């Protein structure tokens, strides 16, 4: 898939920063502007009003419940020491269900106290049974570390909580296996360390009473499908030792959480969804950056450090003021007001740019004030991340620009405002991020700053799609053969597979085993299927396209960070610009065999933009709808892509300096796609001329990809597309949208099932955009390998009108 890089915005002199006194002292709970006052000040500092909608989420009183009768006095006293005098009703309801042996998912809002829902039954059982154990799983190390602090702070004798992950020193691991009764880890460590070493963990697994799965809504797509089978492997090993643990899951508010949790665990799960916790009021603003004058260029709004960012590329062809620039200005404004603020930015480089721009503006106003702002993202070394977390918790920082690495995890106490730079992909993530603001139930401000993107533009002009719509259902597909087969291989290494295991692993298990036997990976014997090789299968749970690539400074050998293998062709090709902690580097060499990119410090006056070529062929059709001149299909496809070159573009003008070839390997992907075809006659009747068909389909494809996250729990970077005036396999004008993961991730199926609503929203987003010929807010794509050419906005509307007129609702 194409992944052209983009550039962001340099701060303009629009800010008239007048820092309040609280901005120069340690941030505490002192008085500051109310959310309403703060929003009015922010709106007044620019020309025109960028706010398209303000939603007032009212405060809510809590509904306490009595302590469950089974909760021991010692545990109640421990919670009381932490300021908890009684549980909220949803906490007690979920805890009672779990203590009675039922599998339960509590799906309530951010800061609703979901932790107590599993801590109550788990810790009560540990206190009542000195041999019982609990396993806690979190999607991130930071979240597990945060929960460890919370459990340890209760100071319960005999619980001995401990984190067991990749950062755990080997000298401590044996003690944890033998003595800890509350082990906190992540699915990766469960997959790579605990289950393969189940013999060493036999004592712990034999006594396992509860498995806690925190933030389970994050287990979606390919990652979620892998985790679903890791949990089935865990259940299998527990059963071999005679244990049947209760599963307690915690989730952000999500659509149909019981079904999603059941698909994840393979068990019947009861959902608790009525949030009874108190909540402070939230002023939630939708903010659309203003249009730039027609003669302004993208480069006038672009800081050089931003060159090469995936998500920021939309700002290269600037129609509106960059979302990064707007967020950086807002972050500087709020910090200058003494307001503790967290800015969520979708990309790593975007977080760096926002922090650097805000620091620069603040230092211009008050020298040294910029030191109160920092960036936080994945790829930092562990020591850097811990220091930033400490500075945030202790108030040394007033503003932080972060990727979604801080959406979960650290208990962000004392934040007054959250800025969300670009729709995060799902309503669940949006509310999770917005919920990070609010001091102990006090009022908070949340601002969604729209990017130049079809979905963002649609949402800021259709607030009912955010505030009046249910949260998405989590999409995962454990039957994906590209997930199921390697997971069965891992299970066979741990213990021979038997016919009784087929039901545990679900649909497709027997077929996958037969394929593994045919491939020589398994050997069938009367007692089951045995793994034939000495080494374990290599399985990437997170589907990131291979092992991470290390970024190393050539002159010093210093490790700067890492980039996932799937992105390395786009971000770390020879000549690419790489940003770390505000410093620009240029890549000298990308060694894929050794997983290393060598870079040197340089601040060029150009940006780099990778270009790729993609081919797609249809393998099979699973389902289709015959709608006369329109056909809608779901099936398997083969996608072949290769990064073949990159452009260098002058930052000052956007001028293309040159295009340089690259020699990178081809990547092949078998996945699931949804596609629609149209007859040439129907297009002609709609007024689409033959010469305009490629641009019409191309524009419709871009917009459809941009709007699919409205229907499924995906990001536009999870999916790809291709359009053609005549495809050899369909023999008709065709638009394809496919999952960007081997075997599919469930997104294409969701698109097929909601095709009418999905394409209706796509059509509306294009038609309602104020541009004349197409822009990043409607039909231009940050991922386009053809440089967004050709595109025809009016003809894209005609194409979608034909589809919607014929496709059944």
């Amino acid at each position: 898939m194409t992944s052209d890089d983009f550039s962001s915005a340099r701060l303009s002199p629009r800010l008239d920063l007048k820092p309040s006194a609280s901005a120069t002292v340690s941030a505490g709970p002192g008085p500051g502007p109310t959310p309403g006052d703060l929003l009015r000040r922010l709106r007044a500092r620019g020309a025109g009003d960028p706010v398209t909608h303000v939603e007032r989420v009212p405060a809510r009183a809590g509904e306490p419940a009595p302590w469950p009768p089974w909760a021991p006095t010692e545990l109640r006293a421990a919670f009381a020491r932490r300021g908890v005098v009684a549980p909220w009703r949803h906490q007690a309801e979920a805890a009672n269900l779990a203590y009675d042996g039922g599998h339960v998912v509590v799906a309530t809002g951010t800061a609703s106290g979901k932790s107590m829902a599993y801590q109550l039954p788990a810790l009560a059982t540990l206190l009542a049974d000195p041999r019982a154990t609990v396993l806690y799983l979190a999607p991130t190390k930071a979240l597990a570390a945060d929960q460890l602090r919370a459990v340890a702070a209760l100071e319960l004798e005999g619980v001995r909580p401990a984190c067991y992950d990749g950062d755990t020193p080997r000298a401590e691991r044996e003690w944890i296996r033998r003595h800890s009764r509350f082990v906190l880890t992540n699915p990766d460590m469960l997959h790579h360390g605990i289950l393969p070493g189940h013999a060493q963990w036999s004592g712990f697994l034999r006594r396992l009473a509860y498995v806690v799965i925190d933030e389970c809504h994050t287990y979606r797509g390919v990652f979620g499908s892998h985790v679903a089978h890791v949990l089935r492997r865990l259940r299998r090993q527990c059963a071999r030792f005679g244990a049947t643990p209760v599963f307690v899951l915690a989730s952000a508010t999500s659509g149909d959480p019981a079904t999603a949790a059941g698909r994840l665990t393979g068990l019947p799960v009861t959902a608790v969804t009525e949030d009874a916790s108190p909540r402070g009021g939230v002023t939630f603003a939708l903010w659309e950056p203003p249009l730039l004058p027609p003669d302004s260029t993208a480069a006038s709004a672009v800081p050089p450090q931003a060159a090469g960012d995936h998500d920021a590329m939309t700002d290269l062809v600037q129609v509106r003021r960059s979302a990064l620039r707007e967020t950086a200005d807002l972050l500087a404004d709020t910090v200058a007001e003494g307001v503790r603020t967290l800015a969520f930015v979708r990309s790593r480089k975007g977080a760096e740019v926002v922090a650097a721009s805000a620091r620069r503006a603040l230092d211009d106003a008050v020298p040294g004030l910029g030191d109160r702002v920092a960036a936080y993202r994945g790829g930092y070394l562990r020591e850097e991340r811990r220091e930033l977390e400490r500075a945030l918790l202790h108030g040394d920082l007033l503003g932080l620009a972060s990727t979604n690495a801080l959406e979960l995890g650290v208990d962000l106490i004392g934040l007054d405002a959250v800025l969300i730079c670009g729709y995060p992909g799902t309503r669940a993530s949006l509310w999770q991020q917005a919920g990070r603001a609010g001091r102990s139930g006090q009022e908070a401000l949340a601002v969604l700053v729209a990017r130049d993107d079809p979905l963002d533009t649609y949402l800021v002009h259709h607030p009912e799609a955010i505030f009046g719509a249910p949260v998405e259902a989590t999409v995962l597909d454990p039957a994906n053969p590209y997930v199921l087969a390697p997971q069965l291989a891992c299970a066979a290494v741990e213990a021979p597979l038997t016919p009784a295991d087929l039901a545990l692993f679900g649909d497709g298990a027997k077929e996958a085993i037969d394929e593994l036997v045919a491939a020589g990976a398994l050997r069938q014997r009367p007692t089951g299927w045995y793994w034939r090789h000495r080494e374990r299968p290599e399985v990437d749970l997170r589907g990131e396209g291979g092992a991470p690539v290390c970024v190393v400074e050539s002159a010093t050998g210093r490790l700067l960070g890492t980039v996932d293998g799937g992105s390395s062709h786009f971000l770390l090709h020879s000549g690419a610009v790489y940003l770390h902690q505000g410093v620009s580097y240029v890549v000298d060499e990308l060694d894929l065999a050794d997983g290393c990119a060598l870079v040197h410090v340089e601040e060029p006056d150009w940006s780099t933009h990778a270009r790729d070529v993609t081919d797609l062929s249809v393998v099979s059709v699973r389902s289709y709808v015959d709608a006369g001149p329109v056909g809608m299909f779901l099936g398997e496809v083969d996608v072949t892509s290769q990064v073949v070159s990159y452009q260098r573009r002058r930052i000052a003008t956007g001028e293309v300096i040159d295009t340089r070839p690259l020699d990178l390997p081809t990547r092949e992907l078998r996945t699931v796609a949804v596609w629609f075809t149209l007859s040439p006659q129907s297009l002609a009747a709609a007024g689409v001329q033959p010469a305009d068909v490629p641009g019409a389909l191309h524009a419709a494809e871009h917009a459809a990809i941009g709007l699919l996250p409205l229907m499924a729990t995906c990001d536009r970077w999870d999916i790809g597309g291709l359009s053609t005036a005549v495809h050899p396999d369909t023999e008709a004008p065709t638009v394809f949208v496919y999952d960007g993961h081997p075997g599919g991730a469930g997104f294409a199926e969701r698109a097929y099932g909601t095709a009418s609503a999905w394409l209706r929203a796509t059509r509306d987003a294009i038609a309602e955009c104020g541009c004349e010929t197409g822009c990043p807010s409607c039909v231009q794509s940050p991922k386009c390998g053809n440089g967004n050419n050709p595109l025809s906005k009016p003809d894209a509307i005609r194409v979608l009108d034909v589809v919607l007129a014929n496709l059944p609702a």
Side-chain angles (χ1 to χ4, degrees):
M1 294 186 294
T2 300
S3 186
D4 291 330
D5 298 328
F6 92 117
S7 302
S8 164
R10 183 182 300 277
L11 275 172
S12 73
R14 82 173 180 92
L15 291 177
D16 179 22
L17 297 181
K18 297 177 180 178
S20 65
S22 60
T24 60
V25 298
S26 176
T34 66
D37 288 341
L38 179 60
L39 181 60
R40 280 189 290 275
R41 295 181 194 178
L42 297 176
R43 296 170 78 169
R45 289 186 174 181
D49 188 358
V51 174
T52 61
H53 179 80
V54 177
E55 187 80 7
R56 170 65 185 164
V57 182
R60 177 184 64 211
E63 297 180 44
W67 288 104
W70 44 262
T73 303
E74 178 184 357
L75 182 57
R76 298 185 198 184
F79 279 118
R81 289 194 298 271
R82 305 291 297 172
V84 179
V85 296
W88 305 115
R89 180 172 49 79
H90 68 278
Q91 294 171 328
E93 180 183 352
N96 278 315
L97 287 168
Y99 195 80
D100 290 341
H103 309 293
V104 60
V105 56
V106 53
T108 52
T110 306
S112 60
K114 292 184 286 289
S115 298
M116 179 176 277
Y118 53 76
Q119 288 175 359
L120 259 179
L123 295 174
T125 299
L126 295 184
L127 292 174
D129 180 358
R131 293 178 53 81
T133 59
V134 171
L135 181 67
Y136 169 96
L137 298 174
T140 66
K141 293 178 183 177
L143 179 53
D146 194 58
Q147 283 298 301
L148 173 63
R149 287 191 290 268
V151 174
L154 295 174
E155 300 178 337
L156 297 170
E157 186 176 354
V159 172
R160 299 186 292 273
C163 271
Y164 189 88
D165 57 31
D167 294 335
T168 304
R170 295 202 171 272
E172 297 179 14
R173 296 187 179 189
E174 178 63 23
W175 183 93
I176 293 172
R177 283 194 293 266
R178 290 181 175 273
H179 302 292
S180 177
R181 300 176 59 217
F182 196 121
V183 172
L184 303 98
T185 186
N186 52 63
D188 307 85
M189 197 63 178
L190 179 61
H191 164 65
H192 289 292
I194 295 175
L195 289 175
H198 58 82
Q200 296 174 299
W201 286 87
S202 59
F204 182 90
L205 295 175
R206 184 174 289 112
R207 306 189 302 271
L208 189 59
Y210 290 94
V211 176
V212 176
I213 306 173
D214 208 352
E215 304 292 1
C216 66
H217 64 282
T218 62
Y219 301 121
R220 60 177 179 83
V222 169
F223 180 40
S225 302
H226 273 296
V227 172
H229 287 297
V230 171
L231 295 177
R232 285 159 175 77
R233 286 163 49 202
L234 172 64
R235 290 174 51 206
R236 180 172 177 253
Q237 290 301 324
C238 288
R240 292 180 68 235
F241 293 120
T244 55
V246 171
F247 282 74
V248 185
L249 302 94
S251 170
T253 303
S254 65
D256 200 2
T259 299
R263 190 176 295 121
L264 184 64
T265 61
L267 296 164
V269 179
T270 301
V272 175
T273 59
E274 292 188 17
D275 192 338
S277 64
R279 180 185 64 197
V282 178
T283 299
F284 204 133
L286 304 184
W287 187 291
E288 185 174 42
L291 286 167
L292 292 175
D295 60 344
S296 62
T297 65
S300 67
V302 176
Q305 301 98 321
D309 187 325
H310 282 256
D311 292 318
M313 180 200 138
T314 52
D315 295 321
L316 183 66
V317 184
Q318 193 70 38
V319 174
R320 292 192 176 276
R321 198 167 186 264
S322 161
L324 289 185
R325 177 182 183 181
E326 201 80 351
T327 303
D329 283 359
L330 291 172
L331 180 60
D333 287 356
T334 56
V335 169
E337 294 278 1
V339 174
R340 292 184 62 177
T341 307
L342 177 64
F344 281 107
V345 188
R346 290 170 56 88
S347 65
R348 292 181 175 190
K349 188 167 291 183
E352 297 271 10
V353 169
V354 167
S357 298
R359 282 196 297 265
R360 189 165 55 246
L362 289 165
D363 281 334
D364 288 345
V366 180
L369 187 56
D371 293 340
R372 305 294 297 276
V373 176
Y376 184 103
R377 62 171 176 81
Y380 281 178
L381 301 180
R382 176 175 178 266
E383 294 76 15
E384 292 178 294
R385 296 196 307 270
R386 297 294 90 83
E387 174 58 26
L388 287 168
E389 292 165 9
R390 185 208 63 77
L392 180 67
L393 290 170
H394 287 80
D396 298 334
L397 292 174
L398 269 176
L400 196 65
S402 171
T403 61
N404 63 358
L406 281 182
E407 179 179 319
L408 313 172
V410 179
D411 187 9
L412 305 177
I413 300 171
L415 293 174
D416 302 297
V418 166
L419 308 173
I420 303 169
C421 182
Y423 183 62
T426 66
R427 284 180 289 270
S429 288
L430 181 72
W431 288 110
Q432 189 82 358
Q433 292 180 4
R436 289 294 158 194
R439 300 186 185 191
S440 303
Q442 294 186 20
E443 297 284 317
L445 174 67
V447 180
L448 171 62
V449 181
R451 294 175 302 153
D452 240 353
D453 175 89
L455 181 56
D456 286 43
T457 303
Y458 179 85
L459 290 173
V460 295
H461 291 285
H462 293 80
E464 71 280 0
I466 294 177
F467 303 107
V471 176
E472 308 88 347
T474 303
V475 176
L476 65 150
D477 180 17
N480 180 341
Y482 288 84
V483 172
L484 180 54
Q487 287 292 336
L488 285 167
C490 292
V493 174
E494 293 155 7
L497 294 165
T498 67
D501 293 324
L502 298 179
L504 175 64
F505 288 97
D507 294 340
K510 182 60 170 64
E511 292 79 1
I513 288 174
D514 290 342
E515 291 182 6
L516 290 169
V517 171
L522 296 181
R523 174 178 294 150
Q524 186 172 8
R525 293 178 177 173
T527 53
W529 293 275
Y530 289 74
W531 180 247
R532 296 187 61 181
H533 305 295
R534 178 168 299 193
E535 68 281 358
R536 286 178 47 82
E538 292 289 335
V539 178
D540 177 13
L541 289 192
R542 297 179 185 263
E544 293 178 337
V549 175
C550 297
V551 183
V552 177
E553 188 174 20
S554 303
T556 64
R558 181 168 64 101
L559 176 65
L560 298 177
T562 60
V563 170
D564 66 88
S567 301
S568 60
H569 289 210
F570 298 105
L571 298 181
L572 296 177
H573 59 77
S574 297
V577 176
Y578 176 80
L579 183 69
H580 182 81
Q581 288 285 29
V583 179
S584 292
Y585 298 83
V586 173
V587 178
D588 299 315
E589 178 186 359
L590 172 60
D591 188 336
L592 292 172
D594 290 338
C596 178
L598 299 178
V599 303
H600 68 271
V601 175
E602 184 178 345
E603 291 196 10
D605 64 351
W606 39 262
S607 59
T608 54
H609 309 267
R611 312 295 296 274
D612 72 349
V613 294
T614 301
D615 291 317
L616 182 149
S617 60
V618 176
V619 177
S620 64
V621 175
R622 290 185 186 177
S623 179
Y624 71 94
V625 174
D626 184 351
V630 173
M632 181 66 66
F633 299 83
L634 177 72
E636 286 78 29
V637 297
D638 281 336
V639 181
T640 303
S641 63
Q642 183 180 21
V643 175
V644 295
S645 64
Y646 71 97
Q647 285 185 343
R648 296 193 306 160
R649 299 177 186 169
R650 192 81 61 191
I651 291 175
T653 64
E655 168 197 0
V656 175
I657 302 172
D658 56 20
T659 299
R660 299 189 172 191
L662 291 170
D663 183 19
L664 289 167
T666 298
R667 289 180 164 178
E668 297 180 355
L669 173 71
R670 176 162 290 187
T671 186
V672 178
V674 58
W675 65 94
F676 61 83
T677 62
L678 306 96
S679 71
Q681 295 81 5
S682 68
L683 291 177
V688 183
Q689 299 301 315
D692 296 327
V693 169
L697 299 176
H698 195 195
E701 171 216 327
H702 282 181
I705 289 173
L707 269 292
L708 182 53
L710 193 64
M711 305 296 162
T713 49
C714 66
D715 184 274
R716 74 179 303 156
W717 301 101
D718 291 325
I719 47 184
L722 182 142
S723 57
T724 177
V726 180
H727 192 273
D729 294 332
T730 64
E731 299 181 345
T734 310
V735 172
F736 293 90
V737 175
Y738 58 84
D739 292 354
H741 300 279
F747 308 137
E749 286 94 334
R750 179 69 175 165
Y752 180 77
T754 61
S756 293
W758 167 41
L759 296 178
R760 172 65 63 188
T762 301
R763 191 260 180 214
D764 291 346
I766 300 173
E768 293 170 4
C769 184
C771 71
E772 293 184 8
T773 60
C775 69
S777 293
C778 56
V779 298
Q780 291 181 353
S781 169
K783 300 165 56 181
C784 184
N786 296 317
N788 284 298
N789 183 49
L791 292 175
S792 175
K793 174 183 175 177
D795 288 321
I797 297 173
R798 296 185 182 103
V799 164
L800 292 168
D801 282 340
V802 172
V803 174
L804 292 167
N806 290 278
L807 196 65

